[in-house]
């Protein structure tokens, strides 16, 4: 039986991950992106694969949990196939606790995690003085520590996927005619194009700015404080981010908002005060109207599918998204949660 032919349009984290799983399953795949692999929001710096709070459980949180638990094996296969390190490590996360109310809430969530995270990760309250040097100040003297959170270096991850695909004979090309089923993983511009086609907004682009310090803490947990992700990477940098800008004139422009991130990061983590800033980045992330990833068949376009709207959780969701889309396109098996369907944003 001939292998199915599939075109993946978009070489960000969703497009590359889907192409990889399709290739693993025997499909003939072509990946098309006029801007190149990882050129959009997937080419950033931060890479915080952080779970939702273990309470008020819903399909989105359950889907994310499955994906985060799949990630280690997923990225190990990618690295083995292509020979490039994706920058993945499940190093955990620390969050300061402000007061007695926050402490009570954090302890209650410990019980929720025991059940909802299936015993495969821990959410716990720890004394701040039990943690090493790379930790935030905490007014209560306690921190939340979870072992589900992982890091991913976005640029390395995209490069690792490109290398893995290349090892299977699949290259990312700037343009080529569609062949077979088409999966549209075209980011924020794709959401705008879809909105124009259907005559109403199904999503938009949210600009983000981020930065990276030269500071080596490769095995330290990441920190979430004051709405800021502070992520140590294996390459000797600590990434911080990001802003969320609904209105913007320049999709890739850097400004005082990035400077403010750096100031806030140093205030939260004084160990970064003397570390040089070695990189800054700005880009636009795709957010579907439903705020969940937008997955499934393109209504009214037989043979066309959409995988978009990763927003801030795209890297964490990518392993599960890739398998769900492969199930749908190759086998007609639809396991997409209701809130993730294309129609949920229409």
């Amino acid at each position: 039986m001939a292998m199915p032919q599939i075109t993946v349009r978009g070489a960000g984290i969703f497009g590359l991950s889907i192409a990889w799983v399709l290739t693993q399953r025997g499909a003939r795949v072509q990946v098309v992106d006029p801007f190149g692999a990882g050129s959009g929001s997937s080419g950033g710096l931060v890479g915080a694969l952080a779970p939702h709070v273990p309470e008020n459980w819903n399909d989105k949180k359950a889907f994310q949990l499955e994906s985060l638990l799949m990630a280690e094996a997923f990225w190990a296969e990618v690295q083995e196939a292509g020979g490039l390190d994706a920058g993945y490590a499940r190093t955990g996360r620390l969050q300061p606790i402000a007061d007695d109310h926050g402490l009570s809430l954090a302890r209650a969530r410990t019980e929720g995690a025991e059940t909802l995270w299936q015993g495969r990760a821990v959410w716990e309250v720890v004394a701040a003085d039990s943690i090493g040097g790379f930790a935030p100040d905490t007014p209560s003297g306690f921190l939340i520590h979870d072992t589900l959170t992982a890091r991913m270096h976005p640029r390395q991850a995209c490069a690792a996927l490109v290398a893995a695909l290349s090892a299977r004979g699949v290259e990312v090309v700037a343009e080529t005619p569609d062949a077979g089923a088409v999966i549209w993983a075209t980011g924020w511009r794709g959401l705008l194009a879809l909105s124009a086609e259907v005559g109403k907004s199904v999503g938009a682009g949210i600009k983000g700015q981020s930065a990276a310090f030269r500071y080596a803490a490769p095995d330290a947990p990441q920190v979430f404080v004051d709405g800021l992700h502070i992520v140590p990477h294996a390459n000797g940098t600590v990434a911080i981010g990001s802003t969320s800008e609904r209105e913007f004139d320049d999709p890739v422009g850097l400004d005082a908002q990035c400077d403010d991130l750096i100031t806030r990061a140093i205030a939260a983590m004084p160990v970064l005060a003397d570390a040089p800033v070695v990189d800054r980045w700005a880009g636009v992330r795709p957010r579907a109207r439903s705020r969940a990833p937008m997955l499934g068949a393109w209504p009214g376009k037989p043979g066309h599918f959409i995988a978009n709207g990763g927003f801030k959780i795209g890297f964490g969701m990518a392993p599960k998204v890739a398998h769900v889309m492969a199930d749908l396109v190759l086998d007609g098996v639809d396991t997409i949660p209701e809130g993730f369907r294309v129609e949920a944003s229409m």
Side-chain angles (χ1 to χ4, degrees):
M1 182 179 295
M3 294 183 294
Q5 174 74 56
I6 299 170
T7 301
V8 177
R9 289 200 167 269
I13 186 58
F14 276 9
L16 291 172
S17 297
I18 293 166
W20 168 244
V21 172
L22 290 169
T23 302
Q24 284 184 302
R25 295 195 188 182
R28 292 175 297 137
V29 180
Q30 58 182 16
V31 183
V32 185
D33 195 314
F35 304 104
S39 59
S41 61
S42 295
L45 299 171
V46 181
L49 312 188
H52 288 93
V53 175
E55 64 181 11
N56 300 324
W57 210 238
N58 57 36
D59 286 345
K60 184 177 182 181
K61 292 183 178 184
F63 191 103
Q64 185 197 46
L65 173 65
E66 289 184 51
S67 193
L68 291 173
L69 292 173
M70 293 167 64
E72 185 171 7
F74 180 91
W75 290 108
E77 290 176 349
V78 169
Q79 290 176 193
E80 182 178 2
L84 293 185
D85 183 0
Y88 174 86
R90 192 167 143 183
T91 50
R93 175 181 58 174
L94 300 170
Q95 302 178 70
I97 299 173
D99 51 30
D100 288 343
H101 173 71
L103 186 58
S104 297
L105 191 59
R107 285 176 170 152
R109 289 169 173 167
T110 297
E111 298 177 7
E114 289 176 359
T115 301
L116 298 170
W117 288 359
Q118 307 166 14
R120 300 178 67 182
V122 171
W123 171 294
E124 61 184 348
V125 175
V126 298
D129 58 13
S130 69
I131 303 297
F134 197 84
D137 291 334
T138 176
S140 68
F142 292 92
L143 297 160
I144 298 165
H145 173 239
D146 83 74
T147 63
L148 181 56
T149 297
R151 69 163 186 237
M152 168 59 63
H153 194 289
R155 295 173 186 173
Q156 289 180 223
C158 289
L161 279 163
V162 169
L165 286 165
S166 181
R168 297 286 185 93
V170 179
E171 305 296 334
V172 178
V173 298
E175 191 52 74
T176 194
D178 291 337
V182 184
I183 300 173
W184 295 82
T186 46
W188 72 284
R189 290 184 176 87
L191 291 179
L192 295 183
L194 181 58
S195 296
E197 181 165 326
V198 301
K200 60 182 176 182
S201 176
V202 301
I206 307 295
K207 182 179 176 180
Q209 299 183 52
S210 58
F213 294 89
R214 174 65 63 192
Y215 185 93
D219 300 319
Q222 60 188 265
V223 171
F224 184 66
V225 56
D226 187 29
L228 196 64
H229 293 280
I230 302 172
V231 185
H233 286 291
N235 66 355
T237 64
V238 173
I240 59 166
S242 61
T243 65
S244 288
E245 305 166 42
R246 294 175 180 270
E247 303 293 333
F248 53 87
D249 295 320
D250 183 354
V252 296
L254 293 158
D255 57 34
Q257 294 183 75
C258 190
D259 297 332
D260 180 61
L261 287 178
I262 294 166
T263 299
R264 288 166 53 205
I266 293 171
M269 298 288 289
V271 296
L272 298 175
D274 296 325
V277 175
V278 293
D279 204 351
R280 300 175 187 236
W281 176 88
V284 182
R285 298 156 298 180
R287 190 182 74 175
R289 183 179 177 184
S290 68
R291 300 180 67 90
M294 179 192 291
L295 309 175
W298 187 325
K301 283 196 172 183
H304 290 254
F305 301 83
I306 295 170
N308 208 328
F311 193 36
K312 295 181 179 181
I313 56 176
F315 277 87
M317 292 288 208
K320 179 72 173 173
V321 164
H323 282 278
V324 164
M325 291 302 296
D327 289 341
L328 179 64
V329 177
L330 293 179
D331 303 322
V333 176
D334 186 347
T335 58
I336 299 169
E338 287 299 321
F340 286 42
R341 297 185 181 280
V342 175
E343 293 83 357
S345 290
M346 290 188 174

